[in-house]
Amino acid sequence: MNYKPPVKSSVKKLHDRRFPSDQNGNNKRASTTGKSAYANAYSLSSQAPSQSFERRMRDLVLGSPQTQQPPAREGLPPNVHVVENLQDYKKVVGDEEERIVAVRFYATYCRACKAVAPLFYQTAVKFPNVVFVDVPVSQKNAALHQGLGVQSLPFAHIYHPAGGLVEELKLTRNHIPGFRNKLDRLVKGFCDLDEEEKID
């Protein structure tokens, strides 16, 4: 069996792929002394025209026009509203005079919030006559969360048209059954009293 060396043209193609030339036709490997071929190839691939990691994180935290997108409404039940500012909150929650309103405060980066979201939407399907509101935390509406006394995330408020804010509670997966029970009792017209409020 005779050994045949690879064709020169295929070797050149492989070499050019691994060590691309600059605009003048100079091999970039030759211009970077002291670096291995792999370090040089890595440095070339990391110099992509995309934004740096720090810039992307800064834009994510502080919000840039490219990253600020309206919240997705796809796949949500029809009685779920997404509110991102005080004016919309007043319109959807404060101006509701006929139906009970259940509000979920959450953050997109919060694992517990992500875990409870499908259960919150299932609850919305179970109670079609209740208005459900999603309020994501952001830099723009942080004052809204603080002003409403949101202690932790995920958190819920329940408003009754005749009584205003009637319930404040945590809304983790463990608290969903209690949340649904409180909604059910309010929809049926019952009112729960705390132990110290009960009359003997």
Side-chain angles (χ1 to χ4, degrees), residues 1-197:
M1 182 187 250
N2 293 340
Y3 171 74
K4 293 183 180 179
V7 181
K8 279 191 174 184
S9 62
S10 62
V11 172
K12 174 128 176 69
K13 285 179 189 176
L14 288 171
H15 181 270
D16 289 345
R17 258 192 241 145
R18 181 173 277 178
F19 309 108
S21 302
D22 61 11
Q23 293 175 350
N24 299 329
N26 298 330
N27 188 329
K28 289 199 175 190
R29 181 180 184 194
S31 65
T32 55
T33 57
K35 283 188 179 179
S36 72
Y38 295 108
N40 188 31
Y42 176 75
S43 66
L44 291 174
S45 67
S46 66
Q47 295 171 355
S50 65
Q51 295 178 339
S52 68
F53 175 76
E54 293 84 9
R55 177 64 185 252
R56 286 185 311 218
M57 291 307 293
R58 189 177 322 117
D59 289 345
L60 182 66
V61 172
L62 299 178
S64 72
Q66 296 92 6
T67 59
Q68 292 297 326
Q69 299 173 351
R73 285 259 328 133
E74 301 163 5
L76 295 182
N79 57 334
V80 175
H81 303 276
V82 180
V83 169
E84 289 195 323
N85 56 49
L86 181 60
Q87 292 79 19
D88 291 343
Y89 191 84
K90 285 180 180 176
K91 187 174 17 172
V92 174
V93 178
D95 294 344
E96 181 60 52
E97 297 177 352
E98 297 176 359
R99 297 185 290 176
I100 294 170
V101 180
V103 183
R104 176 178 77 113
F105 300 95
Y106 72 99
T108 54
Y109 54 82
C110 169
R111 283 181 150 181
C113 301
K114 290 178 183 177
V116 81
L119 301 173
F120 183 75
Y121 300 139
Q122 287 173 4
T123 308
V125 171
K126 186 177 178 182
F127 295 98
N129 295 327
V130 175
V131 177
F132 287 82
V133 180
D134 261 345
V135 184
V137 68
S138 67
Q139 188 177 7
K140 292 180 182 178
N141 68 4
L144 173 65
H145 285 248
Q146 292 171 354
L148 292 170
V150 175
Q151 302 164 4
S152 62
L153 294 176
F155 201 73
H157 282 179
I158 302 175
Y159 295 87
H160 193 279
L165 178 61
V166 292
E167 291 289 343
E168 295 179 278
L169 61 149
K170 290 183 179 181
L171 195 64
T172 60
R173 290 179 68 94
N174 296 339
H175 294 94
I176 282 287
F179 173 73
R180 288 178 176 166
N181 185 33
K182 288 177 191 234
L183 266 181
D184 188 44
R185 292 185 61 78
L186 285 168
V187 167
K188 291 177 179 174
F190 297 111
C191 177
D192 292 333
L193 295 175
D194 290 336
E195 287 297 322
E196 63 255 7
E197 294 178 11

